[in-house]
Amino acid sequence: MLRLENASKIYRVGTFGGKQLRAVSDVSFTVKDGEVVSLIGESGSGKSTIGKMILRLIGITGGKITFDDRDIATLRGGALKAYYRNVQGVFQDPFSSYNPIFKADRVFEIVRDHFFPGVEDREWDEKVRRSLESVGLNPRHVLDKYPHQLSGGQLQRFLIARALLLDIRFLVADEIISMLDASTRIDVLNLLADLKERGLAVLFITHDLSLGYYISEDAAILYRGCVVEFGRTEKIYDHPAHPYTRMLMASVPRLDQKWEDVEIELRAKQEDLSTGCVYYERCCDPHRSERCRERRPRLVEIEPGHSVACDRYSTDG
Amino acid sequence: MSLRVEDLTVYYQTLRGDVRALESTTFSIADGEIMGLAGESGCGKTTLANGLILLVPPMRHVGGRVLLDDRELPIADVEAMNRFRFKEISVIPQYAMNAMNPTRKVGRMAAELLRSRRIDPKRTLPELEKRLDLVELNRSVLKMYPIEMSGGMKQRMVMVLSTLMDPSLLLADEITSALDVSTQKAVAKMLVDFRDREIVKSIIVITHDMSILYQIADSILIMYAGQLAEKGPTETIIHSPRHPYTKLLITSLPKVGVKHDATRLTGIPGKPPLLLDPPEGCRFRERCPAAFERCRDVPPFVEIEPGHFVACWRETESNA
């Protein structure tokens, strides 16, 4: 089980690192075994930064990330290696994950050198064969080839197979589908679904809402490093509550509905809130309550010549 | 009829022989039509677009002709095409975001571009500014370097520059793929707006993303391995496609509301053939669940109902 508790990342920017950029602020969520959580957001929302922090490719500035209740920032040496046996990542561009002058199966050899130095050749070949078959590749067709001889979908599955060699329990899948062609896309997505059935937990980072819906139980919507909405995927998709999520839902091109129809539908859903305070959704005042949602506050004069429409100052009831 | 392509065949010359990237393509686009051109990578979408506007080596014009507003384009003659490029037929290239000169301010680059086409930049400036307003860009972008602009801003700037001379046909090659969904929507809607305002007469939108085409295109042309597979009105292609490839392609797309445990989608097994030595006949044959003897010959691209063309023997034979 992987848990993020108020995880934050602040980059130092500017010529002398004098300015700060909050890429991720106070993000908390949990990914249980056998569960897929989608991290959905646009570019610059910090979704890849979260993936990288989990993989310890970059440090964490505040909060903590725990795996099986151990803070991953404290892992050193052998413990860190054990962590990587459990947690691995696959990234967006399969072509740049390989060195083009070596054969693609070199990625397996690297795993062997680092994690399985004592394994016999025969046993290792068998292990590679099995892991390739489990991602739906025919070892005879894909082994002993250079990266340019394989398709994007094959290379991407290769990388998943590499991660599976380690009997991982958690996979960070950072936009692994977006570079693939439509006809092979779904195969990789189905593969993730199968692995999930076998108990693998996946953090599925994407900007494509329909992919997120297809694969995940929970979804987190990120905007500028903050989680603005989190919950069961169906609930978020059917009743997006945050204005940003609603904007996202209205923008994503869909095959079953035209943009205009989605906009009208969302507006209709929004009407439900129209009886309450107009600022309800964006309000972060501690005073915000059910009353704000149900009743629109009237303009009240709080001092001579100064009026405000907020439940906090309302005089009636 | 805005554009008519007849039997256009374009190969790439390589040391190992010709790559047959575009084979006897015949189709037409009506005035005011936004046609989506879709297919997997390597299916010849971009080759088709380049064949219409910039046919340079290693591309080789093997045969066929292109008529724009009933005038034949000298597509094989790079010099002669200069009269048409930018003014009659224009392109928003695939990496439009990186298409601007990083060492020039945008305004100066635009002026240089216009001067190279023997157009007075000063006289065009008011129109340019009007177009910037249209795509909701602040006029101050002309004093900015491309690095100061976001991806969406750059994309819109290139869009304004490409359409400044009111070309008859605009080719938009994967212009939305690198953008965020909200910017994507804005840019896609602007394309429609440009057509509605008759700034451009017709548009070919090249993309691998069918859902974008469903939103903005009037018709969709599906290509597979250098051959045309199907063309028809958007609704028809998405909801009742006839070519086996189109059918498989559409059903393999995840939609919001579809979950893997309830409805498991399937991809298309196999992969496209190499175009260096493509199989004879229908190139989809090897992956096609409906393939039969007849498919050893190239199926003709036939109109099975008004405006709906299919290249599949199953369809043609049953209608015959």
Side-chain angles (χ1 to χ4, degrees):
Chain A
M1 189 166 83
L2 189 113
R3 176 178 283 146
L4 274 78
E5 287 167 37
N6 297 323
S8 302
K9 178 74 195 175
I10 297 168
Y11 286 111
R12 292 193 165 280
V13 292
T15 321
F16 298 104
K19 286 186 208 152
Q20 291 190 336
L21 179 93
R22 275 188 102 80
V24 176
S25 25
D26 297 329
V27 168
S28 309
F29 60 84
T30 309
V31 188
K32 296 195 199 81
D33 290 345
E35 205 178 62
V36 179
V37 173
S38 283
L39 214 49
I40 297 165
E42 298 186 278
S43 51
S45 62
K47 54 191 194 306
S48 289
T49 305
I50 293 177
K52 284 182 189 155
M53 286 196 295
I54 292 172
L55 291 168
R56 271 201 43 175
L57 297 175
I58 51 174
I60 185 167
T61 320
K64 63 176 180 177
I65 300 174
T66 59
F67 185 70
D68 289 341
D69 299 321
R70 283 189 69 180
D71 188 348
I72 64 161
T74 62
L75 301 175
R76 297 279 179 279
L80 184 59
K81 204 159 188 175
Y83 178 66
Y84 282 132
R85 272 180 204 275
N86 284 316
V87 179
Q88 284 286 322
V90 177
F91 300 95
Q92 178 168 15
D93 182 358
F95 301 97
S96 66
S97 297
Y98 293 87
N99 186 335
I101 64 171
F102 291 107
K103 287 184 175 155
D105 24 65
R106 199 170 89 116
V107 295
F108 298 133
E109 283 308 309
I110 295 169
V111 170
R112 184 182 178 184
D113 291 347
H114 280 264
F115 292 95
F116 302 95
V119 176
E120 297 281 314
D121 279 0
R122 267 238 325 272
E123 197 185 326
W124 179 254
D125 289 346
E126 176 62 23
K127 203 170 156 62
V128 168
R129 202 180 56 73
R130 251 184 303 148
S131 119
L132 282 173
E133 277 169 359
S134 72
V135 297
L137 289 173
N138 184 336
R140 276 189 306 150
H141 292 171
V142 294
L143 286 176
D144 215 25
K145 292 250 168 74
Y146 286 95
H148 70 268
Q149 294 172 303
L150 299 166
S151 73
Q154 284 173 323
L155 290 174
Q156 203 63 294
R157 276 182 277 180
F158 236 71
L159 292 171
I160 300 174
R162 185 197 70 102
L164 294 180
L165 277 175
L166 294 160
D167 299 318
I168 53 162
R169 289 167 46 212
F170 189 89
L171 182 72
V172 177
D174 190 350
E175 297 272 17
I176 62 168
I177 315 278
S178 50
M179 299 269 291
L180 305 181
D181 265 318
S183 68
T184 46
R185 231 168 213 218
I186 199 69
D187 295 331
V188 175
L189 217 50
N190 281 337
L191 170 65
L192 281 189
D194 291 339
L195 295 172
K196 183 186 85 143
E197 297 303 322
R198 283 191 252 154
L200 182 73
V202 182
L203 182 70
F204 188 74
I205 301 173
T206 184
H207 65 275
D208 188 328
L209 293 147
S210 49
L211 298 180
Y213 192 94
Y214 185 70
I215 189 88
S216 61
E217 274 89 21
D218 284 339
I221 311 285
L222 275 178
Y223 181 70
R224 290 199 177 180
C226 297
V227 175
V228 295
E229 198 159 350
F230 183 88
R232 293 275 127 183
T233 314
E234 309 87 82
K235 288 195 177 153
I236 292 188
Y237 280 63
D238 292 344
H239 305 284
H242 196 278
Y244 176 70
T245 318
R246 278 216 297 274
M247 189 282 294
L248 212 55
M249 293 288 163
S251 302
V252 70
R254 295 167 64 154
L255 264 183
D256 50 346
Q257 269 180 316
K258 301 249 172 172
W259 276 327
E260 293 77 29
D261 303 336
V262 178
E263 278 165 17
I264 292 166
E265 201 174 282
L266 282 172
R267 222 172 291 140
K269 274 182 190 162
Q270 202 177 0
E271 305 275 283
D272 301 346
L273 295 170
S274 64
T275 49
C277 172
V278 281
Y279 192 62
Y280 178 77
E281 286 142 338
R282 292 171 77 179
C283 181
C284 36
D285 193 279
H287 184 82
R288 195 181 91 152
S289 67
E290 267 308 298
R291 251 167 54 128
C292 305
R293 193 189 158 89
E294 282 155 13
R295 204 168 53 179
R296 180 165 300 165
R298 247 172 295 162
L299 213 51
V300 205
E301 194 167 58
I302 48 168
E303 55 183 325
H306 183 186
S307 303
V308 70
C310 176
D311 189 64
R312 190 174 183 164
Y313 299 99
S314 74
T315 45
D316 46 320
Chain B
M1 201 65 75
S2 175
L3 176 78
R4 173 135 196 94
V5 177
E6 286 171 6
D7 230 10
L8 182 65
T9 302
V10 175
Y11 292 168
Y12 285 91
Q13 291 173 297
T14 70
L15 290 174
R16 289 190 288 165
D18 282 337
V19 174
R20 294 158 69 182
L22 191 67
E23 203 87 71
S24 326
T25 313
T26 301
F27 66 93
S28 53
I29 300 175
D31 288 346
E33 181 172 336
I34 296 184
M35 185 188 84
L37 180 55
E40 295 175 72
S41 48
C43 73
K45 312 186 284 278
T46 302
T47 308
L48 175 55
N50 284 343
L52 296 178
I53 190 166
L54 187 68
L55 214 158
V56 288
M59 289 171 86
R60 186 163 64 91
H61 179 224
V62 179
R65 56 190 203 136
V66 176
L67 297 149
L68 183 67
D69 299 321
D70 300 320
R71 275 183 302 165
E72 183 165 351
L73 293 179
I75 50 165
D77 188 339
V78 179
E79 290 291 316
M81 269 301 282
N82 273 338
R83 275 190 293 127
F84 296 93
R85 275 189 211 116
F86 192 36
K87 293 173 190 163
E88 300 290 325
I89 175 168
S90 193
V91 65
I92 308 176
Q94 186 156 7
Y95 299 103
M97 309 223 282
N98 307 323
M100 286 189 282
N101 187 341
T103 67
R104 295 275 189 281
K105 284 182 180 163
V106 175
R108 186 167 158 208
M109 194 201 72
E112 283 173 2
L113 175 75
L114 289 166
R115 247 179 260 124
S116 77
R117 298 284 158 191
R118 302 206 167 74
I119 304 159
D120 184 6
K122 283 218 181 66
R123 288 236 307 270
T124 327
L125 189 65
E127 187 58 33
L128 178 63
E129 288 182 334
K130 233 162 66 193
R131 297 286 167 89
L132 288 177
D133 296 344
L134 205 62
V135 297
E136 290 161 22
L137 276 179
N138 196 303
R139 290 179 185 188
S140 65
V141 291
L142 294 176
K143 296 197 180 65
M144 285 161 97
Y145 285 100
I147 195 174
E148 297 174 79
M149 300 160 75
S150 74
M153 286 165 80
K154 281 191 257 187
Q155 190 68 275
R156 278 180 273 176
M157 190 63 221
V158 174
M159 215 160 114
V160 165
L161 290 176
S162 292
T163 54
L164 199 54
M165 290 294 111
D166 297 354
S168 173
L169 177 70
L170 176 68
L171 307 167
D173 194 353
E174 294 280 11
I175 62 163
T176 57
S177 350
L179 301 175
D180 278 327
V181 282
S182 45
T183 325
Q184 201 175 49
K185 181 179 174 186
V187 167
K189 289 199 145 181
M190 274 163 200
L191 273 184
V192 179
D193 193 39
F194 272 44
R195 191 267 318 260
D196 293 346
R197 287 171 191 268
E198 294 178 11
I199 291 172
V200 294
K201 222 192 267 174
S202 41
I203 307 177
I204 299 182
V205 182
I206 301 169
T207 179
H208 63 276
D209 188 346
M210 300 284 283
S211 48
I212 279 278
L213 294 183
Y214 181 64
Q215 302 295 335
I216 61 167
D218 302 311
S219 64
I220 298 180
L221 174 63
I222 306 279
M223 286 186 74
Y224 181 77
Q227 293 174 330
L228 301 188
E230 188 165 4
K231 181 182 189 242
T234 304
E235 292 291 331
T236 312
I237 296 287
I238 302 288
H239 297 299
S240 43
R242 299 289 283 271
H243 195 284
Y245 175 64
T246 320
K247 287 182 194 167
L248 289 171
L249 192 66
I250 303 281
T251 49
S252 74
L253 301 172
K255 297 160 193 71
V256 170
V258 174
K259 250 188 151 40
H260 68 92
D261 38 11
T263 328
R264 197 182 169 90
L265 304 172
T266 46
I268 308 175
K271 61 175 184 172
L274 290 178
L275 297 180
L276 196 57
D277 182 24
E280 290 298 309
C282 175
R283 290 181 182 172
F284 187 56
R285 201 176 65 205
E286 282 167 15
R287 295 168 84 184
C288 183
F292 65 127
E293 267 310 295
R294 202 73 186 85
C295 305
R296 289 181 188 283
D297 298 325
V298 177
F301 195 55
V302 195
E303 190 164 15
I304 53 163
E305 54 192 344
H308 188 186
F309 298 81
V310 180
C312 178
W313 284 116
R314 289 272 177 203
E315 293 298 327
T316 333
E317 299 283 85
S318 62
N319 280 11

